[in-house]
Amino acid sequence: MESRKQRHQHEIKAAEALDATQNSTSNNPFAGPIGGGRGPHKKRSKKSKWLTAFLAVIVVVGFVLVIKALFTDNNAALNPQDTTFKTVKINDGSTAMQMGQTLENKKIIKSAKAFYKYAMSQGAEKLQAGTYHLSPSQTIQLIYQQMVSGPTAEPSLPKGYVMVSVGQSASQVAKNVSDKVKNVSEQSVLTALNDKKLIAKMYQKYPDLLRGVNQSDTQDAKLLDYIYPQAFNLTNAKNASDVVETMLKTSDTTMQPYYKTLKSNGLATPNVMALIATSGKSEFERRLAFVKKIAPYAQELSKKYGILASVSIAQAAHESNWDNSKLSSKYNNFYGVKTQDTTPGKSVVLDTTEYVDGKPETQQARFAVYDSWKDSMREHAETIVNGNSWNPNQFKDVLAAKNYKQAAKALYDDHYATDVNYTKLLINVIETWNMQKYDK
């Protein structure tokens, strides 16, 4: 098997051969006669005139295409205006050409060949495999620089661009801005993010983006909640207000395709921004479809057993990783229910994560297998109502809860889950997807 270095040597030779071929054919793009010579004529026919005109058009079009090809920079950004980032996985053992093809397929760069040639000229062996966050606004040079630094490195951006990442605090964002934008201080950015007059002005301009900003629980830097995690071109910003306005304007453009869905489902913009930014539109739509699929049955169970529908839905989503776990998608077990039943087809042994003294441990356990997801939801409700063989009242606090926050706390207190963050996680899922509306 060839080593990585040997593969790169083959690529270098291939690149040289490619250049040689291109040079031999492109040095004289107009070489060769267009048509044979003809003797003088006193009078040319209409057919001859039309043919001459047609050939002239071909020459002009060909000239334009050649000039365009000569002056097109395939190393430039695919779309300088699209500053959103996509998750791109570069597999171990990928060659520079394979990496370039992955980037082209993901619509990050213009040309795989351009990436390949640039990487070969700079040192393709320096490129590292891994999962990257890359943007169509990045040039090939910047993408190469980022992939040389490795998947944990911050994205390499053009001059004057500032990145806002998922989970960044207001202080971190303000510092990044002050480092990149002349005459703008950290404190001025922090002040602008919570300026009441600016909030009112931005709400008038972008009401769909800032829907609910006036009812927000955030005490400081309110406008940061409505800034989409992406890069922003701040080359024309002169002060902190310009910075914040530019960020919100760009975020509004990014979120436009989602407003109708968010409004019809009562979803707040800040709650889903991180998901869309990290997992994309398809995952957002998949999760929303999952909620809508099981919500009606959760309401039926709520009427029959008394468990809040929002809690039933949220637990199913969280425990099954949104119906994306093997236990859920293959065995219809939404809630991670364990069993001692060894009857063939009634159980399966799988790895699971348990928390021991607050620390996660991977263990093996036997889980129940259900004929349908409705069977799983029904048994979950019955378990909350009937408890278990040694304590039939184990989940009485869950049933007594008057709202989803009380119920989420009771599930942990009554030892349904071992994760110390279970209550917080459940409440976040419910509020992000407005599941509490199914309790009415």
Side-chain angles (χ1 to χ4, degrees):
M1 181 180 291
E2 288 185 325
S3 68
R4 183 178 177 83
K5 184 174 181 181
Q6 287 173 323
R7 287 200 303 272
H8 289 310
Q9 291 300 322
H10 289 319
E11 288 183 333
I12 291 171
K13 292 179 180 179
E16 291 173 348
L18 178 65
D19 287 339
T21 303
Q22 290 176 339
N23 289 336
S24 68
T25 58
S26 61
N27 285 338
N28 187 2
F30 305 112
I34 294 175
R38 300 180 66 184
H41 291 273
K42 292 183 180 179
K43 186 175 181 180
R44 299 173 66 186
S45 67
K46 287 184 179 181
K47 183 177 181 181
S48 176
K49 290 180 180 179
W50 278 110
L51 180 60
T52 301
F54 178 71
L55 292 175
V57 170
I58 291 178
V59 171
V60 172
V61 171
F63 179 78
V64 170
L65 292 175
V66 169
I67 294 299
K68 184 176 180 181
L70 289 174
F71 286 94
T72 296
D73 182 6
N74 283 326
N75 288 342
L78 175 66
N79 183 1
Q81 305 307 315
D82 183 359
T83 55
T84 57
F85 279 71
K86 299 178 181 179
T87 300
V88 181
K89 183 178 180 181
I90 302 297
N91 294 323
D92 288 332
S94 296
T95 64
M97 189 64 195
Q98 290 169 333
M99 292 180 182
Q101 195 60 59
T102 297
L103 297 173
E104 183 180 330
N105 293 344
K106 285 280 190 177
K107 296 184 173 19
I108 299 294
I109 61 174
K110 294 179 180 179
S111 165
K113 288 183 179 179
F115 177 85
Y116 164 72
K117 291 182 70 175
Y118 183 82
M120 299 307 292
S121 70
Q122 300 298 311
E125 71 279 357
K126 300 175 186 176
L127 293 167
Q128 300 183 43
T131 300
Y132 291 88
H133 296 294
L134 302 169
S135 170
S137 63
Q138 292 175 290
T139 62
I140 279 180
Q141 290 91 330
L142 291 174
I143 292 172
Y144 171 83
Q145 179 183 327
Q146 186 175 335
M147 292 176 65
V148 165
S149 300
T152 60
E154 286 292 316
S156 301
L157 301 172
K159 185 178 180 181
Y161 283 65
V162 172
M163 179 73 184
V164 175
S165 302
V166 173
Q168 277 189 320
S169 67
S171 296
Q172 290 172 320
V173 172
K175 185 179 187 313
N176 287 345
V177 170
S178 67
D179 289 343
K180 297 287 183 70
V181 183
K182 189 177 180 181
N183 299 325
V184 175
S185 68
E186 289 182 44
Q187 186 55 52
S188 66
V189 175
L190 291 172
T191 300
L193 286 171
N194 205 41
D195 183 84
K196 291 183 179 180
K197 289 185 178 179
L198 186 58
I199 291 173
K201 178 182 176 183
M202 293 296 95
Y203 180 75
Q204 290 297 317
K205 277 192 169 185
Y206 312 113
D208 291 323
L209 177 69
L210 271 69
R211 186 166 54 88
V213 68
N214 295 321
Q215 290 79 42
S216 171
D217 294 333
T218 306
Q219 297 301 312
D220 296 307
K222 280 190 175 183
L223 289 176
L224 180 60
D225 288 344
Y226 299 86
I227 292 175
Y228 190 89
Q230 64 185 97
F232 297 91
N233 183 357
L234 301 178
T235 52
N236 295 323
K238 296 180 175 58
N239 53 52
S241 292
D242 284 349
V243 167
V244 175
E245 287 194 40
T246 300
M247 287 180 165
L248 290 171
K249 180 180 179 181
T250 305
S251 298
D252 182 66
T253 300
T254 302
M255 289 298 297
Q256 283 290 336
Y258 301 94
Y259 288 146
K260 185 177 179 180
T261 301
L262 294 179
K263 192 172 183 179
S264 63
N265 289 279
L267 305 181
T269 306
N271 292 352
V272 297
M273 272 186 170
L275 171 67
I276 295 170
T278 55
S279 301
K281 185 178 181 181
S282 60
E283 180 62 16
F284 165 74
E285 291 175 341
R286 190 184 75 81
R287 295 191 183 192
L288 184 59
F290 178 74
V291 173
K292 289 184 173 182
K293 170 185 170 183
I294 71 173
Y297 191 61
Q299 289 178 306
E300 286 184 35
L301 295 173
S302 179
K303 291 177 181 178
K304 184 175 181 180
Y305 295 101
I307 181 173
L308 291 171
S310 62
V311 173
S312 181
I313 300 166
Q315 282 192 280
H318 175 64
E319 300 282 355
S320 72
N321 189 24
W322 296 90
D323 198 20
N324 205 35
S325 69
K326 182 178 181 180
L327 183 62
S328 168
S329 59
K330 189 173 181 179
Y331 301 108
N332 292 313
N333 189 333
F334 278 176
Y335 300 96
V337 175
K338 299 182 180 71
T339 183
Q340 299 300 319
D341 190 349
T342 58
T343 305
K346 293 297 183 180
S347 66
V348 62
V349 176
L350 298 172
D351 286 343
T352 182
T353 300
E354 298 292 346
Y355 287 80
V356 179
D357 296 328
K359 296 180 180 179
E361 289 186 4
T362 300
Q363 301 177 0
Q364 279 203 328
R366 184 175 293 278
F367 293 92
V369 173
Y370 296 99
D371 293 332
S372 72
W373 59 265
K374 286 188 176 183
D375 289 343
S376 173
M377 292 188 71
R378 185 182 63 254
E379 185 169 301
H380 169 261
E382 290 173 349
T383 299
I384 298 297
V385 171
N386 301 322
N388 49 51
S389 58
W390 62 89
N391 185 2
N393 296 315
Q394 182 171 349
F395 303 114
K396 62 182 179 60
D397 298 323
V398 179
L399 293 170
K402 296 192 181 341
N403 57 58
Y404 65 91
K405 291 183 179 179
Q406 292 178 4
K409 184 177 183 301
L411 281 165
Y412 179 75
D413 292 342
D414 291 348
H415 307 292
Y416 180 93
T418 57
D419 183 358
V420 293
N421 295 310
Y422 195 78
T423 297
K424 183 179 179 181
L425 290 168
L426 219 57
I427 291 174
N428 181 62
V429 170
I430 290 171
E431 293 180 344
T432 295
W433 298 94
N434 192 26
M435 295 174 183
Q436 63 269 33
K437 71 180 181 180
Y438 297 111
D439 295 332
K440 298 176 182 178

